[in-house]
Structure formats: C-alpha cells, structure tokens
Amino acid sequence: MAENITPYKDQQTAKKEQVANMFNNISKTYDFLNHFMSLGIDIIWRKKAIKELLTDKPQEILDVATGTGDFAFEALEILKPKKIIGVDISRGMLDIAQEKITKRKKQDVFEVRLGDSEKLLFDDNTFDAVTVAYGVRNYENLEKGIADMLRVLKPGGKVVILEFSKPRNFPIKQLYNFYFHYITPTIGKIFSKDSSAYSYLPESVEAFPDGERFTSLMEKVGYKNTKWRSLTFGICSIYTGNK
Ligand SMILES: C[S@@+](CC[C@H](N)C(=O)[O-])C[C@H]1O[C@@H](n2cnc3c(N)ncnc32)[C@H](O)[C@@H]1O
C-alpha cells in the first residue's frame, strides 16, 4: 500500500480532510493551472480515457472525484449518456463545476453532489460506468475507494481511471522529475493561494502504486479484465476493469 502522503505535513488531521481543504483552497485557479502546466495535454488525456467507454455506450455514469467537472463534461460530449452524477469531497471544486453546468445548460444531464469515494451514497449495482480522473492518488484509503466504486457498478459495468504515473526511461524521467519537482511547485506558488498543493502533487504521484501494481490492487478488490496503458512516455496511465 502507498505511503500516506498528505498535503500539509505540519497538520495532524486525516488525509481526506487535508485533501478537501487543499482543493477548496485551489478551486478557483484549478482549471487554469491544469491546462497551463500540462500545456493543454490534460484535455487530450481525458478524451482518450473517456473513449475507452465508446463501445460500452453507458447511460448512467458516476464520475468520482469530479472536481470542477472536466472529465464528466468530456464524457457528456463523447458518450452522450442519459445522466452523469459527479461526486467530490471538496465543496469549492463542486461550486465551480456547478457554475459550469449552469453556464453550459447541462443541469438535466449532469448533477454534482458532495460525496466520498470510500463511502458512496448509492445502492449496489447502480451505474453502467464509473470514471475517475486524477482522483485515486488522493484517496485516503485507496483499496476502500476503488472497492466502493466496484460496489456501485452494475454487473458487467466498466471503470475507467486516469492517473499520473512515473515515466521510467531516460531522458523523459529526468525531464519530468525536474519539471514536476521544480517548475510546477513554482508556478503553483505564484498563481494559487496554496503553495503546499503543488509540492504535494509530485509527492502523491511518487507514492502512487502505478502500472501493474495498480491493476493488481484492482483485481484484489474484485475487478475483472483489468488493463492499463500509458500515455505520453508514461506521464499518465489509463486503467480499466469490469465488474
Ligand atoms: C486533481 S482533482 C481532479 C478533478 C477532476 N476529476 C479532473 O479531471 O480535473 C482531484 C479531486 O479528487 C477529489 N477527491 C479526493 N479524494 C476524494 C474522495 N475520497 N472522494 C471523492 N473525491 C475525492 C478532490 O477533492 C479533487 O477535487
């Protein structure tokens, strides 16, 4: 199991509470910094991940750790489902998602709720698909979080998880480490209200059990047909599995 990396080293509170506070603090600059620091590649990664569901044609989708809603908006655009519910533990992030939903007039198909992946407030076997982008590495208890996502999936339903991973080959590994450890925290410090958030980012990626270690964990909690593939030299990975 990954080391429990928290955003604020000087605080004794649980990881979940710290993560929620951190995302509340950065919610207003989150979208801008995401696209700026990834040079817009995060949008391509989200699209690629959502396309994993094209042949499944899911109608009821749960987007966990929905944040400001960008992964769910991609799913709406590409898959045209009947309904997407987004849950997140950060009220601040959901407020931004709600503003975007209203502005884009998507309130009939996209709804957001405060909720925790480790204790989802839905019945067993509710959704055709469950999606998470850049969320799982923030879970306090990763195993519990992905197990509860499996519980709410319908039998045969599919999970799609997009998460940062660690490039392993020269020179991408070295460039990536430099960018993530020096450039991102500096840009984060300048533009966001929370300087810890962008130091926590590389630390949480470092501690995350990526690649086969993650598909093994998915299988351990009961997912079937688990697969993973890396994107852009291994900076990001897509994981899928069925119930
Ligand atoms: C990096 S953001 C990703 C947001 C969005 N999915 C995207 O693609 O931009 C991670 C989100 O995970 C949420 N989160 C972390 N732990 C969570 C949990 N246990 N349950 C629900 N949401 C969680 C955070 O509040 C934050 O909004």
Side-chain angles (χ1 to χ4, degrees), residues 19 23 30 34 46 65-67 71 88-90 93 115-117 133-135 137-139:
V19 165
F23 281 102
Y30 176 83
N34 236 359
R46 283 196 188 85
T66 199
F71 205 38
D88 201 285
I89 52 168
S90 160
M93 294 290 271
D116 179 2
S117 177
Y134 312 111
R137 104 195 109 78
N138 299 298
Y139 291 177

Side-chain angles (χ1 to χ4, degrees), residues 103-146:
K103 209 167 153 196
R104 298 177 196 186
K105 299 189 171 50
K106 295 289 181 195
Q107 48 275 52
D108 293 344
V109 278
F110 182 14
E111 179 193 325
V112 288
R113 299 185 194 172
L114 205 57
D116 179 2
S117 177
E118 292 166 36
K119 220 180 183 175
L120 292 164
L121 300 174
F122 302 100
D123 293 337
D124 299 357
N125 312 322
T126 302
F127 297 96
D128 301 310
V130 175
T131 56
V132 196
Y134 312 111
V136 288
R137 104 195 109 78
N138 299 298
Y139 291 177
E140 184 168 299
N141 187 326
L142 180 58
E143 209 170 306
K144 212 167 152 194
I146 60 172

